[in-house]
Amino acid sequence: ECSVSARVAAARGAQEQALEIWRRLGDRVREGDAMRALAMYMWHGGEGDLAREMAHAAVAVLEAIEPPGRELAHAYAKLAQLLVNSGQDDATARELAIRARDLAERVSDEPLAVHALTTIALTDVYHDHPAAAIPRAWAQLEQALARARTAGLADDIARILINLVETARDARRFDLADRYVGEA
């Protein structure tokens, strides 16, 4: 609730408490998932380096658990998103997003699969020059948008629309941006 009311510091504090509880209980899955959530609060609080470190740590905790599950897919997706958002290591971000998508599809988590597909497309755009990557990335973003619409994922629809417009803008393909700018 704190996070949706823009009380990032309070959300972070609550998540830190939850992380300590899961550690005391020895629940490694929930510990890793709490670390993944904490990374996002760190990011929103302006602590990008700490956020990426926490996301890396979450992946490390969750990769040690068999069988791999939804929580690991979320951790891969979060780390990939943080790497893309900070403009760091698009190749690793793409690899993590692919792992997230594949695992999300294995565990039937469509919202996460859509999120990861969007991140994959963004890594394609910003790893290459936007104009060179537009055909492939645009197709991936449109596929993600169709899947998000089918699943009724309002937050993902908004994220994808914004990324469609920004990607087209960065590539100076205003004809493509015009397709979605109104809806975005």
Side-chain angles (χ1 to χ4, degrees), residues 1-18 33-48 50-52 54 78 82:
E1 290 303 314
C2 291
S3 67
V4 297
S5 60
R7 295 179 53 218
V8 176
R12 178 182 173 169
Q15 192 61 51
E16 287 170 337
Q17 289 176 350
D33 200 42
M35 293 168 78
R36 185 246 341 137
L38 182 56
M40 200 63 206
Y41 297 134
M42 290 172 165
W43 178 264
H44 288 303
E47 299 176 284
L50 284 176
R52 285 184 300 277
M54 184 61 67
K78 184 54 55 196
L82 292 176

Side-chain angles (χ1 to χ4, degrees), residues 10-118:
R12 178 182 173 169
Q15 192 61 51
E16 287 170 337
Q17 289 176 350
L19 175 57
E20 286 308 310
I21 291 168
W22 295 125
R23 282 182 174 152
R24 276 197 312 268
L25 292 173
D27 189 326
R28 299 290 285 168
V29 172
R30 287 194 171 97
E31 176 186 347
D33 200 42
M35 293 168 78
R36 185 246 341 137
L38 182 56
M40 200 63 206
Y41 297 134
M42 290 172 165
W43 178 264
H44 288 303
E47 299 176 284
D49 290 340
L50 284 176
R52 285 184 300 277
E53 288 174 20
M54 184 61 67
H56 275 288
V59 166
V61 166
L62 293 166
E63 281 183 330
I65 298 168
E66 289 295 330
R70 175 175 279 109
E71 294 82 4
L72 178 57
H74 278 275
Y76 284 150
K78 184 54 55 196
L79 179 53
Q81 182 183 19
L82 292 176
L83 291 172
V84 167
N85 288 350
S86 62
Q88 295 185 356
D89 200 357
D90 288 335
T92 299
R94 187 175 200 287
E95 178 186 322
L96 290 164
I98 289 169
R99 287 186 206 169
R101 181 204 56 205
D102 293 349
L103 186 50
E105 289 177 350
R106 279 201 306 271
V107 299
S108 300
D109 189 329
E110 181 66 1
L112 182 55
V114 167
H115 187 277
L117 180 58
T118 304

Side-chain angles (χ1 to χ4, degrees), residues 74 77-78 81 109-119 122 140-164 183-184:
H74 278 275
K78 184 54 55 196
Q81 182 183 19
D109 189 329
E110 181 66 1
L112 182 55
V114 167
H115 187 277
L117 180 58
T118 304
T119 302
L122 294 176
Q140 290 170 330
L141 286 169
E142 286 190 325
Q143 177 189 10
L145 181 60
R147 288 173 68 170
R149 284 180 170 150
T150 297
L153 306 173
D155 288 343
D156 288 288
I157 292 168
R159 176 182 180 224
I160 296 163
L161 287 169
I162 290 166
N163 283 304
L164 282 162
E183 187 179 1

